[in-house]
Amino acid sequence: MGIIKDIILNEEDNQQAQQKPNKYEDAIRKYNTNLDDAAVREAVRKIIAEKVPENDTMDVKKFLFGSIELTTLKTTDSDTSVLAFTERVNDFDNEYPDLPHVATICVYPCFAKTVSESLEVDGVEIACVSGSFPSSQARIEVKVAETALAVADGATEIDIVLPVGKFLSGDYEGVCDDIAEMKAACGESVPMKVILETGALKTASNIKKASILSMYAGADYIKTSTGKMEPAATPEAAYVMCQAIKEYYDETGIQIGFKPAGGINSVMDAIIYYTIVKEVLGEKWLTNKWLRLGTSRLANMLLSELKGEQIKFF
């Protein structure tokens, strides 16, 4: 009888636990996450058809250049190659004083010190991918340590990856705990971007939920992709994420930045993302603080268009 009684009591405890309010589910319930993927595609198609042409201007291209996060995340990176990469940013500021500098140099944490000691351009941030990039598959102690070391070595921004496996299995508490602990390692003065890896999330509803949980847990920016899997950034994912940012801002008054990354292969791709941000979030987000572009190939493309000749500077 004692064993049966224990089983009954355990079942009752489990039922009570399931009935308790879940603050993560409560956070999500404040927003509409029941999205129709076809409706999202149609909304994006309409924005591209009706609004993109008016933004295909030199002024917008110049702004976009100043929002680039110049990135090197290769297996072959070394102190020597990263130093040369940083020196190109230094040289650009001298050779093209009429153009804005890039917003950020983004590297692996082990190169934060190299960039910090060699970067000479005021206003260029040093971002490090951290927290076991690109998979986010490591013990939280390892992820926190890597993040803290990157900040100590001079990183002024941190990019982490949402623990996608936890999210897809419904472990929203685990997702938020990971994000919150890494944000604590960043401190208040170092902004943290949470990469959703939208290609793995697949649906608009999942992207919306992941956006909300990331912001709720402490993200200063939300970012589409690592660039290490396909599909990477898409206009549809950007549209949903910007909707989430706008609704979160309306609910909390907290402004969150946006960064599309991966798969930005042309100037027109960048203009499309700019247009989505402009239409969904508005002018307040059209600064290189709140809108970033995670790409390196775009830098030479934009520079060539701005100067009217083929240039391979970076």
Side-chain angles (χ1 to χ4, degrees):
M1 286 295 292
I3 294 173
I4 295 172
K5 183 178 180 182
D6 287 343
I7 292 171
I8 292 170
L9 289 173
N10 285 335
E11 287 180 351
E12 288 176 350
D13 288 343
N14 288 335
Q15 288 173 358
Q16 288 174 2
Q18 290 171 5
Q19 291 169 0
K20 282 183 180 178
N22 181 309
K23 64 181 181 179
Y24 308 103
E25 294 283 359
D26 287 347
I28 290 172
R29 271 195 288 270
K30 292 180 181 178
Y31 306 89
N32 175 26
T33 59
N34 186 22
L35 303 182
D36 180 80
D37 291 295
V40 169
R41 286 193 296 272
E42 177 56 24
V44 170
R45 186 204 64 76
K46 188 174 181 181
I47 287 174
I48 292 172
E50 296 180 1
K51 300 296 183 179
V52 164
E54 68 191 46
N55 295 317
D56 188 3
T57 69
M58 285 299 176
D59 283 344
V60 168
K61 291 170 187 176
K62 185 180 287 190
F63 165 80
L64 290 170
F65 188 92
S67 292
I68 288 174
E69 296 206 345
L70 205 64
T71 302
T72 180
L73 298 171
K74 300 192 292 289
T75 302
T76 53
D77 286 343
S78 65
D79 284 326
T80 301
S81 69
V82 171
L83 177 61
F85 189 73
T86 307
E87 288 297 344
R88 295 308 286 160
V89 176
N90 293 337
D91 293 342
F92 181 87
D93 204 47
N94 295 323
E95 293 192 32
Y96 296 95
D98 58 319
L99 293 178
H101 53 65
V102 296
T104 310
I105 295 175
C106 184
V107 296
Y108 283 113
C110 52
F111 301 116
K113 194 170 185 180
T114 299
V115 179
S116 179
E117 291 178 347
S118 56
L119 182 62
E120 299 170 356
V121 185
D122 290 338
V124 176
E125 303 293 343
I126 303 168
C128 286
V129 294
S130 185
S132 193
F133 177 94
S135 69
S136 193
Q137 297 289 14
R139 289 172 61 113
I140 187 61
E141 295 89 347
V142 174
K143 295 197 261 190
V144 167
E146 185 180 38
T147 302
L149 288 167
V151 172
D153 280 349
T156 60
E157 297 182 354
I158 292 291
D159 290 28
I160 70 163
V161 182
L162 180 93
V164 176
K166 288 182 180 179
F167 174 84
L168 292 176
S169 64
D171 182 10
Y172 296 162
E173 182 175 4
V175 169
C176 290
D177 283 350
D178 265 31
I179 294 170
E181 288 199 43
M182 282 185 275
K183 176 55 187 171
C186 293
E188 289 300 318
S189 62
V190 176
M192 187 179 77
K193 309 182 195 86
V194 176
I195 306 166
L196 304 187
E197 200 66 288
T198 52
L201 299 180
K202 299 186 183 300
T203 68
S205 291
N206 276 345
I207 292 168
K208 184 77 172 285
K209 289 176 183 177
S211 298
I212 292 162
L213 289 173
S214 297
M215 294 185 287
Y216 176 79
D220 299 291
Y221 293 76
I222 51 176
K223 174 179 169 182
T224 57
S225 317
T226 61
K228 302 297 185 182
M229 72 168 289
E230 296 294 336
T234 66
E236 290 77 17
Y239 178 80
V240 172
M241 291 168 70
C242 287
Q243 279 190 319
I245 290 170
K246 179 64 165 62
E247 291 172 24
Y248 188 79
Y249 178 74
D250 290 343
E251 175 72 24
T252 67
I254 299 171
Q255 187 169 5
I256 302 295
F258 173 63
K259 178 181 173 182
I264 303 176
N265 296 317
S266 69
V267 172
M268 184 50 64
D269 286 343
I271 293 171
I272 286 170
Y273 288 117
Y274 172 94
T275 303
I276 289 169
V277 171
K278 182 180 178 182
E279 293 303 311
V280 178
L281 291 170
E283 298 283 344
K284 190 171 183 178
W285 270 262
L286 295 181
T287 75
N288 72 353
K289 176 179 179 180
W290 298 111
L291 172 59
R292 300 286 182 75
L293 301 169
T295 176
S296 287
R297 64 173 65 90
L298 184 64
N300 286 330
M301 295 178 188
L302 279 168
L303 183 58
S304 297
E305 291 211 13
L306 289 168
K307 289 299 180 182
E309 59 180 309
Q310 189 69 26
I311 300 173
K312 291 187 178 179
F313 187 90
F314 294 103

